[in-house]
Amino acid sequence: MITIDCKDVLSIKNELVVYVSDEVVAIPTLKHHQFTLSTFDDDEIIDTDAVVTSIKGFLNSIGEGTNFAVIFNNDTISIKAISGKTIERDAAPQSDMFSCTHCGFVTRYEVELNVHMRIHYL
């Protein structure tokens, strides 16, 4: 499992998680200032170089590649602003999202997540 710290890029975290998880074929789990990537099979290992490359590719695609450093240290990848400036975007107000820790299922409703989680224990 790899954790990606998104404190300096919070406004694009949702776009980033979708892009990176698709690129490296991993299950994302959203957290407050970060997200984690885990494999479908416990025996597999996520290629950290592929994750770093994917993050850099995404930042380059939005024109922010030279403004941020992607640093890997002890299963944590941090995206840090080089000049101290974070990405500011006018995002539509989003309610909290709930994510299944087993399979990555995402919903806006905690009740729906609780019902979904029960299927993992049948």
Side-chain angles (χ1 to χ4, degrees), residues 19-36:
Y19 183 85
V20 173
S21 63
D22 283 348
E23 286 282 312
V24 298
V25 188
I27 301 170
T29 304
L30 297 171
K31 296 186 178 182
H32 193 348
H33 294 290
Q34 61 190 13
F35 64 91
T36 60

Side-chain angles (χ1 to χ4, degrees), residues 33-100:
H33 294 290
Q34 61 190 13
F35 64 91
T36 60
L37 297 173
S38 53
T39 59
F40 291 101
D41 185 9
D42 290 337
D43 296 333
E44 294 178 25
I45 297 173
I46 297 175
D47 183 7
T48 54
D49 291 334
V51 175
V52 169
T53 302
S54 178
I55 292 170
K56 287 180 180 181
F58 180 78
L59 290 172
N60 285 332
S61 74
I62 62 170
E64 295 287 347
T66 58
N67 298 327
F68 290 89
V70 181
I71 304 163
F72 175 66
N73 187 18
N74 295 332
D75 291 334
T76 300
I77 297 173
S78 299
I79 305 168
K80 295 291 183 187
I82 294 172
S83 64
K85 180 184 171 204
T86 60
I87 296 176
E88 300 292 331
R89 281 197 177 170
D90 293 333
Q94 296 179 357
S95 60
D96 290 331
M97 299 292 282
F98 299 95
S99 176
C100 176

Side-chain angles (χ1 to χ4, degrees), residues 8-22:
D8 289 351
V9 293
L10 278 178
S11 63
I12 61 165
K13 180 181 78 169
N14 292 339
E15 297 169 48
L16 181 64
V17 70
V18 170
Y19 183 85
V20 173
S21 63
D22 283 348

